[in-house]
Structure formats: structure tokens, C-alpha cells
Amino acid sequence: MKYSQPNKLQAVILDWAGTVVDFGSFAPTQIFVEAFKEFGIEVSLEESRGPMGMGKWDHIRTLCNVPEIAERYREKFGRTPTDDDVTAIYERFMPLQIEKIAVHSGIIPGALESIQILRDKGLKIGTCSGYPKIVMDKVVELAEKNGYSPDCVVATDEVPNGRPYPAQSLQNVISLGISDVAACVKVDDTWPGILEGRSAGMWTVALTCSGNALGLTYEEYKNLDKAQLDKERQRIQKIFEGSKPHYLIDTIAELPQVIEDINLRLSKGELPQCS
């Protein structure tokens, strides 16, 4: 039997917060701030955004490794944070996240329309997130009420390793019955999510303005003047540089045009691993 590379896309694997829901990715970031505060540790919203895209325990561990945050913890408790301390913060984070997830559950403008265009082209819609399943169940429930029901959902604790490892995207490939990873696109607003897609051998699309990197509400984003927006795009492009996304766009509203371009490249024999 001879290998035949795909000539068109079969699936899009979408992130959740900052990609399809929660413009600005406020739900997870704000809760990190609140969880640390309950232990008497001040963490800014900007600091909490740093490792966004990782699984939430790993995110907290990474924050605790930041020298400034570790020093605040040492001043409070006389030691730098251990894994047990990380788990204690995580266990406080979880109920706060579940309690407040609905506050930031709105569908990002243009998302439903773009997803419908992709479905009309025959693409399956997979998803994954840095949220664990107990939170994802709530996120999915809220999204369904707002008209969004993907074909597959994979939470970070349903695979051996979360982002930036490829396991969640690859589980989507298996569950959706996709024949080739090169026929998939991973769409995400964080560098760990783009690394996930790259490591899985997929096309990757980084969202520069709807998620964690810009960190603004939709109204704030729309009110930025052109010069400021261009400056922010350049700053965010540098954040994504190391993860090597194939495309950078503002929001998921622009995704259908990217899908057309990828299909054209596939038809010419191009593969994501070669670019």
C-alpha cells in the first residue's frame, strides 16, 4: 500500500478560552489571581497570563517558579513553594473556576459563523483546552446554550501530558477518525497551544487579538486605534515567534480565509511539517 498525502483539510481543532469563548481569556487568568490571593500572595493579572495554555496545575507550578512570586511566597511562609503547595493552590483554584466560569462564557464575535462555514466545507470540529474535565464539562454546557457544540472535546487531564505536548490534539485525531495529521489545523491563542499543534504535525493558526496575549475585552480591542493595534500585533507576533505558527490572524472570524489557503497549499503538495 502506498502513502497518499491529503489534498484537503478534514478537521479543525480549536482551543476554547480566547479562541471560541471568553474574548480576552479572562476566566482562567482572573481566577489564578484570586486563588493566590486566598493564600496571601499577590499575583498580577499580567503575571498570571504568562504560562497560559498549559494545564492548570502546570500553570500554577510555572507561576510559583517565577523568582518574584517565589520570593513573595518565601516572605509569607518562610519557604519557596513545593509541589504540595502548588496542589493546595490548585485545589482552591478549581472550585473558584467552576463557580465563576459563566461570567466569561460568551461566544467570541464571528466564531459561530466561521465554524458553520467550516462545517459546510465538510470539516469536523475538534477541541481541547488547558481546563481539566470537571471545568470543561461546565464550559461545554454553557457553550451549548449559546449555540456551539463541537464534535470532540478533550480536557487536559484526559491525556498523559497536556500542552505543549501533542496528546490532546492527537486524541482528537483518533476520536474524529481523521486519516492524517496533515489534514488538521490547530487554532489557539497561546504559544503552548501552537507548540501542541506543531508537535502533532498539524497546520497551526495563532490568534493575536482575541485571547491571552492581547488580554482586552472585545470592546477595548475594537476601540484601539490602528497605530496602537499594529504595535500590539508586532509585540504579540514576537511572543509566538518561537512556536512557529503557520498563520497569525486577529480572531477566529478570519479563519475561513486561512482554511482556503491551506487547502490550496495541500492541493499543491505542501505539508505542515515542511513549512
Side-chain angles (χ1 to χ4, degrees), residues 5 7 263-270:
Q5 68 185 53
N7 57 17
N263 275 332
L264 180 61
R265 293 171 71 175
L266 282 170
S267 72
K268 293 178 179 178
E270 290 188 52

Side-chain angles (χ1 to χ4, degrees), residues 16-273:
W16 282 82
T19 297
V20 177
V21 300
D22 185 13
F23 197 103
S25 196
F26 286 96
T29 50
Q30 185 59 46
I31 305 304
F32 284 122
V33 172
E34 294 182 22
F36 272 90
K37 192 170 185 178
E38 293 205 3
F39 288 82
I41 309 299
E42 294 294 327
V43 174
S44 71
L45 190 61
E46 183 178 0
E47 286 174 324
S48 77
R49 288 186 180 278
M52 191 58 64
M54 295 180 173
K56 302 315 176 192
W57 191 96
D58 291 329
H59 187 126
I60 294 169
R61 176 70 272 178
T62 303
L63 286 176
C64 286
N65 290 342
V66 174
E68 294 82 358
I69 297 175
E71 179 59 21
R72 291 171 214 159
Y73 202 95
R74 189 196 63 76
E75 290 176 358
K76 178 74 175 179
F77 296 102
R79 67 179 191 281
T80 55
T82 66
D83 282 357
D84 287 342
D85 296 322
V86 171
T87 298
I89 297 171
Y90 176 79
E91 289 176 347
R92 186 65 198 107
F93 168 86
M94 289 300 298
L96 283 171
Q97 185 73 93
I98 296 168
E99 175 187 343
K100 298 190 177 183
I101 197 73
V103 177
H104 301 287
S105 63
I107 302 290
I108 286 174
L112 293 181
E113 294 83 354
S114 290
I115 291 167
Q116 187 57 54
I117 291 171
L118 304 187
R119 286 194 183 281
D120 290 344
K121 294 180 182 294
L123 275 72
K124 295 179 180 179
I125 308 298
T127 66
C128 53
S129 172
Y131 286 132
K133 188 176 187 303
I134 190 171
V135 178
M136 274 313 311
D137 287 345
K138 184 64 174 178
V139 173
V140 170
E141 176 189 339
L142 292 165
E144 287 177 348
K145 293 178 180 177
N146 289 324
Y148 176 49
S149 298
D151 301 313
C152 181
V153 180
V154 181
T156 191
D157 57 350
E158 294 184 300
V159 295
N161 295 295
R163 301 164 182 169
Y165 293 92
Q168 286 178 271
S169 282
L170 294 177
Q171 184 57 59
N172 271 273
V173 170
I174 295 167
S175 298
L176 294 172
I178 304 304
S179 66
D180 195 310
V181 292
C184 296
V185 184
K186 177 69 203 308
V187 184
D188 208 291
D189 68 299
T190 67
W191 62 263
I194 297 301
L195 282 177
E196 171 198 4
R198 270 291 193 175
S199 298
M202 301 176 177
W203 299 93
T204 54
V205 180
L207 303 179
T208 58
C209 295
S210 63
N212 181 67
L214 185 61
L216 299 179
T217 65
Y218 181 72
E219 289 73 22
E220 289 169 336
Y221 156 65
K222 295 301 288 184
N223 286 331
L224 286 177
D225 62 50
K226 185 180 184 302
Q228 183 62 35
L229 184 55
D230 287 343
K231 183 178 179 181
E232 289 294 335
R233 287 192 184 111
Q234 292 173 15
R235 175 185 66 82
I236 295 166
Q237 185 172 351
K238 290 180 180 178
I239 294 173
F240 280 111
E241 200 168 62
S243 59
K244 296 183 68 177
H246 294 89
Y247 297 87
L248 292 102
I249 58 177
D250 280 5
T251 79
I252 193 174
E254 300 168 49
L255 186 58
Q257 299 97 301
V258 172
I259 298 303
E260 288 292 328
D261 191 66
I262 294 174
N263 275 332
L264 180 61
R265 293 171 71 175
L266 282 170
S267 72
K268 293 178 179 178
E270 290 188 52
L271 293 173
Q273 299 93 329

